[in-house]
Coordinates of all heavy atoms in Angstrom, one line a residue:
K265 N -133.9 21.2 -126.8 CA -134.6 22.1 -125.8 C -133.7 23.2 -125.4 O -132.6 23.0 -124.9 CB -134.9 21.3 -124.5 CG -135.9 20.1 -124.7 CD -136.2 19.4 -123.4 CE -137.1 18.2 -123.6 NZ -137.3 17.4 -122.3
L266 N -134.1 24.4 -125.8 CA -133.3 25.6 -125.6 C -134.1 26.6 -124.7 O -133.8 27.8 -124.7 CB -132.9 26.2 -126.9 CG -131.7 25.5 -127.6 CD1 -131.7 25.9 -129.1 CD2 -130.4 25.9 -127.0
S267 N -135.1 26.2 -124.0 CA -135.9 27.1 -123.2 C -135.1 27.7 -122.1 O -134.3 27.0 -121.4 CB -137.1 26.3 -122.6 OG -136.6 25.2 -121.8
G268 N -135.1 29.0 -122.0 CA -134.4 29.8 -121.0 C -132.8 29.9 -121.4 O -132.1 30.4 -120.5
A269 N -132.4 29.4 -122.5 CA -131.0 29.5 -122.9 C -130.6 30.9 -123.2 O -131.4 31.7 -123.7 CB -130.7 28.5 -124.0
N270 N -129.3 31.2 -123.0 CA -128.8 32.5 -123.4 C -128.1 32.3 -124.7 O -127.0 31.7 -124.8 CB -127.8 33.0 -122.3 CG -127.2 34.3 -122.7 OD1 -127.6 35.0 -123.6 ND2 -126.3 34.8 -121.9
L271 N -128.7 32.9 -125.8 CA -128.1 32.8 -127.1 C -127.7 34.2 -127.7 O -127.6 34.4 -128.8 CB -129.1 32.1 -128.1 CG -129.2 30.6 -127.9 CD1 -130.6 30.2 -128.4 CD2 -128.1 29.7 -128.5
Q272 N -127.5 35.1 -126.7 CA -127.2 36.4 -127.2 C -125.9 36.5 -127.9 O -124.8 36.0 -127.4 CB -127.1 37.4 -125.9 CG -128.4 37.5 -125.2 CD -128.3 38.6 -124.1 OE1 -128.1 39.7 -124.3 NE2 -128.5 38.1 -122.8
G273 N -125.9 37.1 -129.1 CA -124.7 37.2 -129.9 C -124.2 36.0 -130.5 O -123.2 35.9 -131.1
A274 N -125.0 34.9 -130.4 CA -124.6 33.6 -131.0 C -124.8 33.6 -132.5 O -125.7 34.2 -133.0 CB -125.4 32.4 -130.4
N275 N -123.9 32.8 -133.1 CA -124.0 32.6 -134.6 C -124.8 31.4 -134.9 O -124.3 30.3 -134.7 CB -122.6 32.6 -135.2 CG -122.7 32.5 -136.8 OD1 -123.7 32.5 -137.3 ND2 -121.5 32.3 -137.4
L276 N -126.0 31.5 -135.4 CA -126.9 30.4 -135.7 C -127.2 30.3 -137.2 O -128.2 29.7 -137.6 CB -128.2 30.5 -134.9 CG -128.0 30.2 -133.4 CD1 -129.2 30.9 -132.7 CD2 -128.0 28.7 -133.1
Q277 N -126.3 31.0 -138.0 CA -126.5 31.0 -139.4 C -126.5 29.5 -140.0 O -125.6 28.8 -139.6 CB -125.5 31.8 -140.1 CG -125.5 33.3 -139.7 CD -124.5 34.1 -140.4 OE1 -124.7 34.7 -141.5 NE2 -123.3 34.1 -139.8
R278 N -127.5 29.3 -140.8 CA -127.7 28.0 -141.5 C -127.8 26.8 -140.5 O -127.5 25.7 -140.9 CB -126.5 27.8 -142.4 CG -126.6 28.7 -143.6 CD -125.4 28.5 -144.6 NE -124.1 29.0 -144.0 CZ -123.8 30.3 -143.9 NH1 -124.6 31.2 -144.4 NH2 -122.6 30.7 -143.4
A279 N -128.1 27.1 -139.3 CA -128.3 26.1 -138.3 C -129.7 25.4 -138.5 O -130.6 26.0 -139.0 CB -128.3 26.6 -136.9
Y280 N -129.8 24.1 -138.2 CA -131.0 23.4 -138.3 C -131.8 23.4 -137.0 O -131.4 22.7 -136.1 CB -130.7 21.9 -138.8 CG -131.8 21.1 -139.3 CD1 -132.3 21.4 -140.6 CD2 -132.5 20.2 -138.5 CE1 -133.3 20.6 -141.2 CE2 -133.6 19.5 -139.1 CZ -134.0 19.7 -140.4 OH -135.0 19.0 -140.9
L281 N -132.8 24.2 -137.0 CA -133.5 24.4 -135.7 C -135.0 24.0 -135.8 O -135.8 24.5 -135.0 CB -133.5 25.9 -135.3 CG -132.1 26.5 -135.1 CD1 -132.1 28.0 -135.2 CD2 -131.5 26.1 -133.7
R282 N -135.3 23.0 -136.6 CA -136.7 22.5 -136.7 C -137.1 21.9 -135.4 O -136.4 21.1 -134.7 CB -136.7 21.5 -137.8 CG -136.6 22.1 -139.2 CD -136.9 21.1 -140.3 NE -138.3 20.8 -140.3 CZ -138.9 20.1 -141.3 NH1 -138.2 19.6 -142.3 NH2 -140.2 19.8 -141.2
H283 N -138.3 22.3 -134.9 CA -139.0 21.8 -133.7 C -138.1 22.0 -132.5 O -138.2 21.3 -131.5 CB -139.2 20.2 -133.9 CG -140.0 19.9 -135.1 ND1 -141.3 20.3 -135.3 CD2 -139.6 19.2 -136.2 CE1 -141.7 19.8 -136.5 NE2 -140.7 19.2 -137.1
V284 N -137.3 23.0 -132.5 CA -136.5 23.4 -131.3 C -137.4 24.2 -130.3 O -138.2 25.0 -130.7 CB -135.3 24.2 -131.7 CG1 -134.6 24.9 -130.5 CG2 -134.3 23.4 -132.4
D285 N -137.3 23.9 -129.0 CA -138.0 24.7 -128.0 C -137.2 25.9 -127.6 O -136.2 25.8 -127.0 CB -138.2 23.8 -126.8 CG -139.1 24.5 -125.7 OD1 -139.3 25.7 -125.8 OD2 -139.4 23.8 -124.7

Side-chain angles (χ1 to χ4, degrees):
K265 296 178 182 177
L266 283 159
S267 57
N270 181 7
L271 288 156
Q272 295 184 67
N275 181 6
L276 290 158
Q277 295 180 96
R278 292 176 290 282
Y280 195 79
L281 297 164
R282 292 190 67 170
H283 307 293
V284 169
D285 185 351

